[in-house]
mmCIF file of all heavy atoms in Angstrom:
data_model
loop_
_atom_site.group_PDB
_atom_site.id
_atom_site.type_symbol
_atom_site.label_atom_id
_atom_site.label_comp_id
_atom_site.label_asym_id
_atom_site.label_seq_id
_atom_site.Cartn_x
_atom_site.Cartn_y
_atom_site.Cartn_z
ATOM 1 N N ALA A 314 0.899 -23.063 22.968
ATOM 2 C CA ALA A 314 1.743 -24.180 22.545
ATOM 3 C C ALA A 314 2.043 -24.096 21.054
ATOM 4 O O ALA A 314 3.176 -24.335 20.620
ATOM 5 C CB ALA A 314 1.063 -25.518 22.881
ATOM 6 N N LEU A 318 5.761 -23.534 19.309
ATOM 7 C CA LEU A 318 6.302 -24.429 18.268
ATOM 8 C C LEU A 318 6.705 -23.642 17.032
ATOM 9 O O LEU A 318 7.774 -23.874 16.455
ATOM 10 C CB LEU A 318 5.258 -25.483 17.909
ATOM 11 C CG LEU A 318 5.132 -26.696 18.825
ATOM 12 C CD1 LEU A 318 3.997 -27.599 18.368
ATOM 13 C CD2 LEU A 318 6.432 -27.489 18.863
ATOM 14 N N ARG A 321 9.903 -21.662 17.700
ATOM 15 C CA ARG A 321 11.083 -22.537 17.753
ATOM 16 C C ARG A 321 11.484 -22.983 16.357
ATOM 17 O O ARG A 321 12.674 -23.032 16.032
ATOM 18 C CB ARG A 321 10.790 -23.759 18.637
ATOM 19 C CG ARG A 321 10.594 -23.447 20.098
ATOM 20 C CD ARG A 321 11.908 -23.044 20.768
ATOM 21 N NE ARG A 321 12.819 -24.176 20.840
ATOM 22 C CZ ARG A 321 14.085 -24.119 20.445
ATOM 23 N NH1 ARG A 321 14.576 -23.013 19.931
ATOM 24 N NH2 ARG A 321 14.871 -25.178 20.564
ATOM 25 N N PHE A 322 10.514 -23.331 15.531
ATOM 26 C CA PHE A 322 10.832 -23.777 14.164
ATOM 27 C C PHE A 322 11.503 -22.644 13.384
ATOM 28 O O PHE A 322 12.520 -22.846 12.724
ATOM 29 C CB PHE A 322 9.554 -24.226 13.451
ATOM 30 C CG PHE A 322 9.807 -24.794 12.089
ATOM 31 C CD1 PHE A 322 10.046 -26.157 11.922
ATOM 32 C CD2 PHE A 322 9.813 -24.001 10.953
ATOM 33 C CE1 PHE A 322 10.283 -26.698 10.675
ATOM 34 C CE2 PHE A 322 10.051 -24.525 9.694
ATOM 35 C CZ PHE A 322 10.285 -25.884 9.555
ATOM 36 N N LEU A 325 15.094 -22.103 14.596
ATOM 37 C CA LEU A 325 16.030 -23.128 14.138
ATOM 38 C C LEU A 325 16.361 -22.962 12.667
ATOM 39 O O LEU A 325 17.517 -23.142 12.252
ATOM 40 C CB LEU A 325 15.448 -24.525 14.403
ATOM 41 C CG LEU A 325 15.352 -24.936 15.875
ATOM 42 C CD1 LEU A 325 14.648 -26.270 16.008
ATOM 43 C CD2 LEU A 325 16.740 -25.006 16.498
ATOM 44 N N ARG A 340 18.031 -33.915 23.637
ATOM 45 C CA ARG A 340 16.651 -33.447 23.493
ATOM 46 C C ARG A 340 15.936 -33.654 24.825
ATOM 47 O O ARG A 340 15.597 -34.762 25.197
ATOM 48 C CB ARG A 340 15.958 -34.183 22.353
ATOM 49 C CG ARG A 340 16.704 -33.951 21.028
ATOM 50 C CD ARG A 340 16.014 -34.618 19.856
ATOM 51 N NE ARG A 340 16.778 -34.372 18.635
ATOM 52 C CZ ARG A 340 16.400 -34.737 17.412
ATOM 53 N NH1 ARG A 340 15.246 -35.349 17.258
ATOM 54 N NH2 ARG A 340 17.144 -34.490 16.376
ATOM 55 N N SER A 341 15.718 -32.552 25.506
ATOM 56 C CA SER A 341 15.297 -32.613 26.905
ATOM 57 C C SER A 341 13.821 -32.946 27.087
ATOM 58 O O SER A 341 13.422 -33.310 28.177
ATOM 59 C CB SER A 341 15.598 -31.272 27.588
ATOM 60 O OG SER A 341 14.961 -30.212 26.896
ATOM 61 N N SER A 342 13.022 -32.810 26.049
ATOM 62 C CA SER A 342 11.593 -33.056 26.218
ATOM 63 C C SER A 342 11.017 -33.594 24.920
ATOM 64 O O SER A 342 11.635 -33.516 23.853
ATOM 65 C CB SER A 342 10.873 -31.765 26.610
ATOM 66 O OG SER A 342 10.925 -30.829 25.553
ATOM 67 N N GLN A 343 9.791 -34.115 25.031
ATOM 68 C CA GLN A 343 9.123 -34.620 23.842
ATOM 69 C C GLN A 343 8.847 -33.500 22.859
ATOM 70 O O GLN A 343 8.966 -33.692 21.640
ATOM 71 C CB GLN A 343 7.815 -35.302 24.249
ATOM 72 C CG GLN A 343 7.057 -35.915 23.072
ATOM 73 C CD GLN A 343 5.779 -36.590 23.518
ATOM 74 O OE1 GLN A 343 5.470 -36.637 24.703
ATOM 75 N NE2 GLN A 343 5.023 -37.119 22.570
ATOM 76 N N GLU A 344 8.486 -32.317 23.371
ATOM 77 C CA GLU A 344 8.221 -31.181 22.495
ATOM 78 C C GLU A 344 9.472 -30.776 21.722
ATOM 79 O O GLU A 344 9.407 -30.467 20.528
ATOM 80 C CB GLU A 344 7.690 -30.004 23.313
ATOM 81 C CG GLU A 344 6.289 -30.188 23.877
ATOM 82 C CD GLU A 344 6.257 -31.124 25.085
ATOM 83 O OE1 GLU A 344 7.343 -31.412 25.639
ATOM 84 O OE2 GLU A 344 5.158 -31.563 25.455
ATOM 85 N N GLU A 345 10.621 -30.751 22.418
ATOM 86 C CA GLU A 345 11.874 -30.402 21.745
ATOM 87 C C GLU A 345 12.196 -31.427 20.665
ATOM 88 O O GLU A 345 12.622 -31.072 19.558
ATOM 89 C CB GLU A 345 13.010 -30.336 22.769
ATOM 90 C CG GLU A 345 12.999 -29.086 23.612
ATOM 91 C CD GLU A 345 13.360 -27.859 22.804
ATOM 92 O OE1 GLU A 345 14.469 -27.791 22.259
ATOM 93 O OE2 GLU A 345 12.504 -26.963 22.686
ATOM 94 N N ALA A 346 11.993 -32.705 20.975
ATOM 95 C CA ALA A 346 12.261 -33.747 19.987
ATOM 96 C C ALA A 346 11.360 -33.585 18.772
ATOM 97 O O ALA A 346 11.803 -33.753 17.633
ATOM 98 C CB ALA A 346 12.063 -35.123 20.618
ATOM 99 N N GLN A 347 10.100 -33.231 18.989
ATOM 100 C CA GLN A 347 9.165 -33.067 17.882
ATOM 101 C C GLN A 347 9.588 -31.925 16.959
ATOM 102 O O GLN A 347 9.540 -32.052 15.738
ATOM 103 C CB GLN A 347 7.763 -32.798 18.426
ATOM 104 C CG GLN A 347 7.068 -34.020 18.998
ATOM 105 C CD GLN A 347 5.709 -33.686 19.579
ATOM 106 O OE1 GLN A 347 5.439 -32.550 19.956
ATOM 107 N NE2 GLN A 347 4.840 -34.681 19.653
ATOM 108 N N ILE A 348 10.004 -30.811 17.526
ATOM 109 C CA ILE A 348 10.329 -29.669 16.687
ATOM 110 C C ILE A 348 11.624 -29.896 15.928
ATOM 111 O O ILE A 348 11.755 -29.510 14.761
ATOM 112 C CB ILE A 348 10.370 -28.363 17.528
ATOM 113 C CG1 ILE A 348 10.265 -27.153 16.603
ATOM 114 C CG2 ILE A 348 11.606 -28.286 18.379
ATOM 115 C CD1 ILE A 348 8.985 -27.052 15.832
ATOM 116 N N TYR A 349 12.609 -30.553 16.550
ATOM 117 C CA TYR A 349 13.842 -30.860 15.825
ATOM 118 C C TYR A 349 13.585 -31.890 14.736
ATOM 119 O O TYR A 349 14.127 -31.791 13.635
ATOM 120 C CB TYR A 349 14.922 -31.346 16.788
ATOM 121 C CG TYR A 349 15.604 -30.218 17.529
ATOM 122 C CD1 TYR A 349 15.266 -29.910 18.838
ATOM 123 C CD2 TYR A 349 16.576 -29.439 16.905
ATOM 124 C CE1 TYR A 349 15.874 -28.861 19.519
ATOM 125 C CE2 TYR A 349 17.198 -28.396 17.578
ATOM 126 C CZ TYR A 349 16.836 -28.113 18.884
ATOM 127 O OH TYR A 349 17.447 -27.075 19.540
ATOM 128 N N ASP A 350 12.753 -32.864 15.022
ATOM 129 C CA ASP A 350 12.395 -33.846 13.991
ATOM 130 C C ASP A 350 11.652 -33.173 12.846
ATOM 131 O O ASP A 350 11.831 -33.520 11.676
ATOM 132 C CB ASP A 350 11.520 -34.956 14.587
ATOM 133 C CG ASP A 350 12.313 -35.881 15.515
ATOM 134 O OD1 ASP A 350 13.551 -35.872 15.428
ATOM 135 O OD2 ASP A 350 11.668 -36.590 16.315
ATOM 136 N N ALA A 351 10.814 -32.184 13.157
ATOM 137 C CA ALA A 351 10.080 -31.459 12.126
ATOM 138 C C ALA A 351 11.041 -30.698 11.212
ATOM 139 O O ALA A 351 10.866 -30.663 9.997
ATOM 140 C CB ALA A 351 9.076 -30.498 12.760
ATOM 141 N N VAL A 352 12.063 -30.091 11.788
ATOM 142 C CA VAL A 352 13.056 -29.377 10.981
ATOM 143 C C VAL A 352 13.802 -30.345 10.073
ATOM 144 O O VAL A 352 13.984 -30.091 8.877
ATOM 145 C CB VAL A 352 14.042 -28.611 11.888
ATOM 146 C CG1 VAL A 352 15.206 -28.048 11.072
ATOM 147 C CG2 VAL A 352 13.323 -27.480 12.618
ATOM 148 N N GLU A 353 14.228 -31.468 10.628
ATOM 149 C CA GLU A 353 14.966 -32.452 9.836
ATOM 150 C C GLU A 353 14.096 -33.009 8.713
ATOM 151 O O GLU A 353 14.560 -33.204 7.581
ATOM 152 C CB GLU A 353 15.472 -33.567 10.744
ATOM 153 C CG GLU A 353 16.531 -33.101 11.736
ATOM 154 C CD GLU A 353 16.855 -34.153 12.772
ATOM 155 O OE1 GLU A 353 16.217 -35.231 12.742
ATOM 156 O OE2 GLU A 353 17.739 -33.908 13.616
ATOM 157 N N ARG A 354 12.832 -33.270 9.030
ATOM 158 C CA ARG A 354 11.908 -33.797 8.022
ATOM 159 C C ARG A 354 11.670 -32.770 6.921
ATOM 160 O O ARG A 354 11.596 -33.097 5.742
ATOM 161 C CB ARG A 354 10.592 -34.195 8.704
ATOM 162 C CG ARG A 354 9.600 -34.894 7.775
ATOM 163 C CD ARG A 354 8.494 -35.559 8.566
ATOM 164 N NE ARG A 354 7.567 -34.629 9.177
ATOM 165 C CZ ARG A 354 7.503 -34.389 10.466
ATOM 166 N NH1 ARG A 354 8.328 -34.973 11.292
ATOM 167 N NH2 ARG A 354 6.617 -33.531 10.953
ATOM 168 N N PHE A 355 11.554 -31.513 7.328
ATOM 169 C CA PHE A 355 11.342 -30.450 6.358
ATOM 170 C C PHE A 355 12.543 -30.309 5.423
ATOM 171 O O PHE A 355 12.388 -30.234 4.189
ATOM 172 C CB PHE A 355 11.089 -29.128 7.082
ATOM 173 C CG PHE A 355 11.159 -27.934 6.180
ATOM 174 C CD1 PHE A 355 10.186 -27.699 5.230
ATOM 175 C CD2 PHE A 355 12.207 -27.035 6.273
ATOM 176 C CE1 PHE A 355 10.256 -26.601 4.386
ATOM 177 C CE2 PHE A 355 12.285 -25.938 5.445
ATOM 178 C CZ PHE A 355 11.303 -25.721 4.501
ATOM 179 N N ILE A 407 3.597 -23.649 10.670
ATOM 180 C CA ILE A 407 3.373 -24.817 11.521
ATOM 181 C C ILE A 407 1.871 -24.913 11.762
ATOM 182 O O ILE A 407 1.330 -24.314 12.688
ATOM 183 C CB ILE A 407 4.135 -24.685 12.863
ATOM 184 C CG1 ILE A 407 5.594 -24.284 12.619
ATOM 185 C CG2 ILE A 407 4.058 -25.980 13.645
ATOM 186 C CD1 ILE A 407 6.350 -25.276 11.765
ATOM 187 N N VAL A 448 4.371 -27.498 7.802
ATOM 188 C CA VAL A 448 5.001 -28.565 8.571
ATOM 189 C C VAL A 448 4.122 -28.875 9.770
ATOM 190 O O VAL A 448 3.670 -27.966 10.475
ATOM 191 C CB VAL A 448 6.411 -28.138 9.046
ATOM 192 C CG1 VAL A 448 7.088 -29.274 9.809
ATOM 193 C CG2 VAL A 448 7.268 -27.708 7.851
ATOM 194 N N ARG A 449 3.885 -30.160 10.003
ATOM 195 C CA ARG A 449 3.066 -30.578 11.140
ATOM 196 C C ARG A 449 3.915 -31.442 12.064
ATOM 197 O O ARG A 449 4.144 -32.616 11.788
ATOM 198 C CB ARG A 449 1.842 -31.350 10.649
ATOM 199 C CG ARG A 449 0.795 -30.463 9.991
ATOM 200 C CD ARG A 449 -0.303 -31.260 9.358
ATOM 201 N NE ARG A 449 0.134 -31.811 8.071
ATOM 202 C CZ ARG A 449 -0.635 -32.598 7.309
ATOM 203 N NH1 ARG A 449 -1.851 -32.913 7.718
ATOM 204 N NH2 ARG A 449 -0.191 -33.047 6.172
ATOM 205 N N PRO A 450 4.407 -30.876 13.175
ATOM 206 C CA PRO A 450 5.351 -31.601 14.021
ATOM 207 C C PRO A 450 4.733 -32.607 14.974
ATOM 208 O O PRO A 450 5.443 -33.380 15.587
ATOM 209 C CB PRO A 450 6.021 -30.470 14.815
ATOM 210 C CG PRO A 450 4.976 -29.421 14.909
ATOM 211 C CD PRO A 450 4.204 -29.486 13.626
ATOM 212 N N HIS A 451 3.398 -32.619 15.113
ATOM 213 C CA HIS A 451 2.776 -33.443 16.140
ATOM 214 C C HIS A 451 2.485 -34.870 15.685
ATOM 215 O O HIS A 451 1.992 -35.659 16.474
ATOM 216 C CB HIS A 451 1.465 -32.812 16.609
ATOM 217 C CG HIS A 451 1.682 -31.622 17.496
ATOM 218 N ND1 HIS A 451 2.339 -31.709 18.694
ATOM 219 C CD2 HIS A 451 1.353 -30.317 17.343
ATOM 220 C CE1 HIS A 451 2.385 -30.507 19.269
ATOM 221 N NE2 HIS A 451 1.795 -29.656 18.463
ATOM 222 N N VAL A 452 2.741 -35.184 14.408
ATOM 223 C CA VAL A 452 2.411 -36.528 13.924
ATOM 224 C C VAL A 452 3.646 -37.173 13.323
ATOM 225 O O VAL A 452 4.658 -36.518 13.080
ATOM 226 C CB VAL A 452 1.285 -36.464 12.859
ATOM 227 C CG1 VAL A 452 -0.033 -36.120 13.522
ATOM 228 C CG2 VAL A 452 1.613 -35.451 11.784
ATOM 229 N N ALA A 453 3.550 -38.456 13.091
ATOM 230 C CA ALA A 453 4.711 -39.206 12.612
ATOM 231 C C ALA A 453 5.123 -38.773 11.225
ATOM 232 O O ALA A 453 4.315 -38.277 10.438
ATOM 233 C CB ALA A 453 4.388 -40.704 12.623
#
Side-chain angles (χ1 to χ4, degrees):
L318 279 176
R321 293 289 292 130
F322 185 90
L325 291 175
R340 301 182 181 185
S341 57
S342 66
Q343 182 179 358
E344 290 76 14
E345 284 290 299
Q347 285 177 336
I348 198 63
Y349 281 101
D350 289 342
V352 171
E353 293 171 358
R354 186 166 71 252
F355 168 70
I407 311 301
V448 182
R449 287 172 282 178
H451 285 299
V452 289

